[in-house]
Amino acid sequence: MTDQQEQGTEPCRPSKNDRKSVPEATVARLALYLRVLNGLAEQGTQTVSSEALAIAAGVNSAKLRKDLSHLGSYGTRGVGYEVLILIEQLSQALGLTQHRAVALVGVGNLGQALAGYGGFSSRGFRVVALFDADPQRIGQRVAGLVVRHIDDLPAVVEAESVSIGVIATPAGAAQHVCDQLVTAGVTSILNFAPVVLSVPEAVDVRKVDLAVELQILSFHEQRKSELPVESEPELASNGFQGVG
Amino acid sequence: MTDQQEQGTEPCRPSKNDRKSVPEATVARLALYLRVLNGLAEQGTQTVSSEALAIAAGVNSAKLRKDLSHLGSYGTRGVGYEVLILIEQLSQALGLTQHRAVALVGVGNLGQALAGYGGFSSRGFRVVALFDADPQRIGQRVAGLVVRHIDDLPAVVEAESVSIGVIATPAGAAQHVCDQLVTAGVTSILNFAPVVLSVPEAVDVRKVDLAVELQILSFHEQRKSELPVESEPELASNGFQGVG
DNA sequence: CGATGTGAACCTATTCACAGCG
DNA sequence: CGCTGTGAATAGGTTCACATCG
């Protein structure tokens, strides 16, 4: 992200494919496409056009084609894309071919919900360990795992090759937990605590702040109630589907 | 940003303020700044410079100033911003001066965690009702609220002036629940189910897909392990802090 | 013929750099 | 003098429109 590099056909190294700088916005959507494609595959669909897939994913078809073009040419002109092949390519591009171990820190309300969330395991991620600082919680069983003390983190990260840490602690503990994760060697963090984390630049942090999401909606609510009505009452497509 | 017009001292319409098109990217950050400012206020800070606030929020100071400039001029040159005044302005801009009622549908793992999440109530939102379709759950008490049947939704939305709906159901139920929310008059939806919702264009949807977040991290993990090392081991600022 | 893949145009957002004010 | 507020420059992303190919 700090450095960016050339894309397009460079002369001497067409070896694997031209995996170049896939735009950040595209990466987020690749995950979305993959989800939709898995749904199509389950119901037995073999081929999709960019148009159909785009509609299912709620995006513009040109955008979809451009997104996919960053990975290479896996479509057939006049036909579309083979669902299974595209799934394969997207999985590969997103690094999902190797299963990734996840460590979750903070086994409160949210942490327990996350630990039990099926969506993780069903899509290539495995929560391998739960941590907490509260002695009360240590040793408890949650979602089939025993809650361990945070001091065990380095050992577990090492033993299980944890690559992603999830922080679901209260705000006050988050930075310290983050530091511990980083020290233990975790280089990707998903943060649910409402704080801005400081990390070395080699570490990626994504945050999910539920209150912020609501506030963004609140902003638009206010807008709607200010300017009365103006558009025809046409029932149509879908909203802007935020996040990213 | 579509239309831009003079700000500062315009001749005839200084009435409210020149609330114009605040860029979408800015809106998301305003909520972030507000959070940081509340922290500052709590610890008694009275004034911040754009530089200090920007660092605390993890953004570039020029960006912060530009963001704030969309709301008007509330800083003092050579000094900075008064914390309390900025909080006031941001709260107003985000529509938080009127408390907003939230209805939560789907009282499973995640739903219960959300219902009990303090971050909502502490920041101007109040979860006023919980709904589920499972007869087993109806009547249960969760986070101080009785779980009601989804069919009661229209009555509650009306009675409590619900403006935001949160969907925490399984994927299969989400679109139907969404339709019910929309029919009941809800115009903003926060969706945790891994599906793309179809809604009338007057309705705003934001989605939080936990698996997608992990996949984005996975992508970057893969990148890191591909190109070996290159940067000096300098411990520095913070990563890109995703979502929005 | 129909759908992909892509240059070019467009729009949005970020960053720079400094004028201008307190 | 220091910091805000902002035009101008740059970068990033989206959409259009069409040549190209199966």
Side-chain angles (χ1 to χ4, degrees), chain A residues 135-212:
Chain A
Q136 297 272 310
R137 291 220 179 90
I138 314 273
Q140 280 185 7
R141 248 179 190 279
V142 173
L145 291 169
V146 174
V147 178
R148 313 179 62 154
H149 191 275
I150 183 96
D151 290 345
D152 296 348
L153 214 155
V156 175
V157 167
E158 164 82 7
E160 302 268 14
S161 299
V162 169
S163 57
I164 299 179
V166 176
I167 298 178
T169 65
Q175 181 62 60
H176 182 56
V177 165
C178 175
D179 294 343
Q180 289 177 291
L181 283 167
V182 170
T183 301
V186 173
T187 51
S188 291
I189 292 174
L190 180 56
N191 176 35
F192 288 87
V195 284
V196 177
L197 296 176
S198 292
V199 296
E201 64 171 302
V203 175
D204 285 331
V205 175
R206 292 191 65 83
K207 68 177 173 356
V208 175
D209 186 323
L210 305 175
V212 165

Side-chain angles (χ1 to χ4, degrees), chain A:
Chain A
M1 66 201 65
T2 303
D3 58 341
Q4 72 207 64
Q5 60 198 91
E6 290 324 300
Q7 60 212 95
T9 49
E10 75 298 69
C12 50
R13 281 264 108 192
S15 60
K16 197 67 161 292
N17 54 9
D18 52 337
R19 75 168 64 262
K20 285 283 100 71
S21 63
V22 180
E24 193 55 34
T26 292
V27 174
R29 286 189 299 263
L30 293 181
L32 172 63
Y33 304 151
L34 181 55
R35 198 180 72 195
V36 175
L37 284 165
N38 278 322
L40 290 176
E42 270 176 32
Q43 68 181 57
T45 306
Q46 294 198 323
T47 304
V48 264
S49 65
S50 64
E51 184 69 22
L53 183 52
I55 289 172
V59 304
N60 178 306
S61 71
K63 190 191 300 194
L64 182 139
R65 288 198 300 277
K66 184 146 289 193
D67 283 343
L68 295 184
S69 76
H70 290 290
L71 310 184
S73 284
Y74 298 109
T76 309
R77 293 175 194 235
V79 180
Y81 302 88
E82 270 213 56
V83 172
L84 292 180
I85 290 180
L86 245 198
I87 287 175
E88 178 64 24
Q89 293 305 326
L90 291 183
S91 297
Q92 177 131 29
L94 291 170
L96 303 176
T97 47
Q98 51 201 293
H99 284 253
R100 297 197 177 271
V102 175
L104 194 156
V105 186
V107 193
N109 258 345
L110 181 61
Q112 290 184 33
L114 294 175
Y117 179 56
F120 287 167
S121 49
S122 76
R123 284 191 264 168
F125 299 94
R126 201 163 61 90
V127 177
V128 298
L130 307 180
F131 297 94
D132 208 299
D134 181 355
Q136 297 272 310
R137 291 220 179 90
I138 314 273
Q140 280 185 7
R141 248 179 190 279
V142 173
L145 291 169
V146 174
V147 178
R148 313 179 62 154
H149 191 275
I150 183 96
D151 290 345
D152 296 348
L153 214 155
V156 175
V157 167
E158 164 82 7
E160 302 268 14
S161 299
V162 169
S163 57
I164 299 179
V166 176
I167 298 178
T169 65
Q175 181 62 60
H176 182 56
V177 165
C178 175
D179 294 343
Q180 289 177 291
L181 283 167
V182 170
T183 301
V186 173
T187 51
S188 291
I189 292 174
L190 180 56
N191 176 35
F192 288 87
V195 284
V196 177
L197 296 176
S198 292
V199 296
E201 64 171 302
V203 175
D204 285 331
V205 175
R206 292 191 65 83
K207 68 177 173 356
V208 175
D209 186 323
L210 305 175
V212 165
E213 296 300 323
L214 289 186
Q215 288 173 5
I216 294 169
L217 288 173
S218 171
F219 173 86
H220 291 292
E221 273 295 302
Q222 171 164 264
R223 272 306 176 78
K224 289 177 209 157
S225 56
E226 273 170 11
L227 18 137
V229 261
E230 42 118 350
S231 61
E232 61 263 61
E234 182 182 355
L235 191 70
S237 56
N238 53 2
F240 61 83
Q241 305 270 122
V243 160

Side-chain angles (χ1 to χ4, degrees), chain B residues 130-143:
Chain B
L130 307 179
F131 297 93
D132 208 297
D134 182 354
Q136 297 271 309
R137 292 219 178 90
I138 315 271
Q140 278 184 7
R141 246 176 192 283
V142 173

Side-chain angles (χ1 to χ4, degrees), chain B residues 21-224:
Chain B
S21 61
V22 180
E24 193 55 32
T26 292
V27 174
R29 286 189 299 264
L30 292 182
L32 172 62
Y33 303 152
L34 181 56
R35 198 180 70 194
V36 174
L37 284 166
N38 278 321
L40 291 176
E42 268 176 32
Q43 69 182 56
T45 307
Q46 295 196 322
T47 303
V48 261
S49 66
S50 64
E51 183 69 22
L53 183 53
I55 290 172
V59 303
N60 177 307
S61 71
K63 191 191 300 193
L64 182 139
R65 288 198 300 277
K66 183 145 289 195
D67 283 343
L68 295 183
S69 76
H70 289 291
L71 310 183
S73 284
Y74 299 110
T76 309
R77 290 168 194 241
V79 180
Y81 301 89
E82 270 213 57
V83 172
L84 293 179
I85 289 180
L86 245 199
I87 287 175
E88 177 64 25
Q89 293 304 328
L90 290 182
S91 296
Q92 177 132 27
L94 292 171
L96 302 176
T97 48
Q98 51 198 296
H99 284 253
R100 297 197 178 270
V102 174
L104 194 156
V105 186
V107 193
N109 257 346
L110 181 61
Q112 291 183 34
L114 294 175
Y117 179 55
F120 286 168
S121 49
S122 75
R123 283 192 264 167
F125 299 94
R126 200 163 63 90
V127 178
V128 298
L130 307 179
F131 297 93
D132 208 297
D134 182 354
Q136 297 271 309
R137 292 219 178 90
I138 315 271
Q140 278 184 7
R141 246 176 192 283
V142 173
L145 291 168
V146 174
V147 178
R148 312 179 63 154
H149 191 276
I150 182 97
D151 290 345
D152 296 348
L153 212 155
V156 175
V157 167
E158 164 83 7
E160 302 267 15
S161 299
V162 169
S163 57
I164 299 179
V166 176
I167 299 178
T169 66
Q175 181 63 58
H176 182 55
V177 164
C178 174
D179 294 343
Q180 290 177 289
L181 283 167
V182 170
T183 301
V186 173
T187 51
S188 291
I189 291 174
L190 181 56
N191 177 33
F192 288 87
V195 284
V196 178
L197 296 176
S198 292
V199 295
E201 62 173 299
V203 176
D204 285 331
V205 176
R206 291 190 66 82
K207 67 177 172 356
V208 175
D209 188 321
L210 305 174
V212 164
E213 297 298 324
L214 289 186
Q215 288 174 5
I216 294 169
L217 288 173
S218 171
F219 173 86
H220 293 291
E221 273 296 301
Q222 173 163 260
R223 274 304 178 76
K224 288 176 211 160

